[in-house]
Amino acid sequence: MVQVEEVLFSVGEALCFIWGGHCVPADEILKTTFVSLSSAHHFLTDDTGINEKDSKSIPCTDELDGKREKAREVIVTKLFDELVYSGRKEDRCAGAVWLVSIITYCGNHPRVKQMLPDIQVGFLFLYTLFIQ
C-alpha cells in the first residue's frame, strides 16, 4: 500500500507543476530519480537561494500561465466530476490526495482560492463516508 500512496502523492505533485506556480522543465522531471519533486527543489522549505538556479531554467510567463488555464480546468473537472464523488473507494482516495497536493503547493493561486468552498464540501463528503 505504501507504494500506491507514494505514486498518488507523486502524481499530485506533477499535477501541481502542471497547474503552475513552480516552473520545472519537463526534462528535469523525467531525468530525476523517483523522489519527491518538492524535496528535490526545496519548494516547501525555507532554503532560499537553493532554488534560484532552478527558477531560471524555464521562464514562468503570462503566456505559459494562459496555456495552463485549460489544464487547470481539466484537472478541476476530473477531480470533482470523476474522483472525489466517485462510487469507487480508490478514485475517492486519489481525488483526496490530489486535492491535498493542490492546496499544499498551489494554495495561493487565485483559482484555488476560488475553489475553496467546493474543496471544503468535497472533503466533508469524503469525511462523512470515512466515518460511516
Side-chain angles (χ1 to χ4, degrees), residues 58-72:
I58 184 170
C60 291
T61 63
D62 289 337
E63 179 184 342
L64 181 59
D65 196 51
K67 291 178 181 178
R68 287 185 167 156
E69 185 60 36
K70 182 168 174 63
R72 288 184 198 114

Side-chain angles (χ1 to χ4, degrees), residues 24-70:
V24 178
D27 64 323
E28 188 168 337
I29 293 170
L30 295 173
K31 291 178 183 175
T32 58
T33 60
F34 189 72
V35 297
S36 169
L37 288 170
S38 64
S39 295
H41 292 277
H42 308 282
F43 287 124
L44 299 178
T45 65
D46 291 333
D47 297 338
T48 55
I50 292 176
N51 199 18
E52 205 171 291
K53 177 186 79 94
D54 297 330
S55 66
K56 293 178 184 175
S57 59
I58 184 170
C60 291
T61 63
D62 289 337
E63 179 184 342
L64 181 59
D65 196 51
K67 291 178 181 178
R68 287 185 167 156
E69 185 60 36
K70 182 168 174 63

Side-chain angles (χ1 to χ4, degrees), residues 12-118:
E13 286 181 352
L15 287 174
C16 293
F17 287 113
I18 292 168
W19 187 279
H22 301 297
C23 295
V24 178
D27 64 323
E28 188 168 337
I29 293 170
L30 295 173
K31 291 178 183 175
T32 58
T33 60
F34 189 72
V35 297
S36 169
L37 288 170
S38 64
S39 295
H41 292 277
H42 308 282
F43 287 124
L44 299 178
T45 65
D46 291 333
D47 297 338
T48 55
I50 292 176
N51 199 18
E52 205 171 291
K53 177 186 79 94
D54 297 330
S55 66
K56 293 178 184 175
S57 59
I58 184 170
C60 291
T61 63
D62 289 337
E63 179 184 342
L64 181 59
D65 196 51
K67 291 178 181 178
R68 287 185 167 156
E69 185 60 36
K70 182 168 174 63
R72 288 184 198 114
E73 293 311 312
V74 169
I75 292 168
V76 169
T77 301
K78 182 76 170 176
L79 282 172
F80 288 108
D81 292 350
E82 297 180 32
L83 296 176
V84 172
Y85 298 105
S86 172
R88 295 186 56 215
K89 180 180 176 181
E90 297 82 7
D91 290 350
R92 292 191 307 267
C93 181
V97 169
W98 296 342
L99 275 178
V100 167
S101 296
I102 287 174
I103 291 169
T104 302
Y105 295 107
C106 306
N108 290 326
H109 192 277
R111 181 66 173 105
V112 175
K113 289 180 180 181
Q114 180 186 23
M115 292 172 27
L116 284 177
D118 295 326

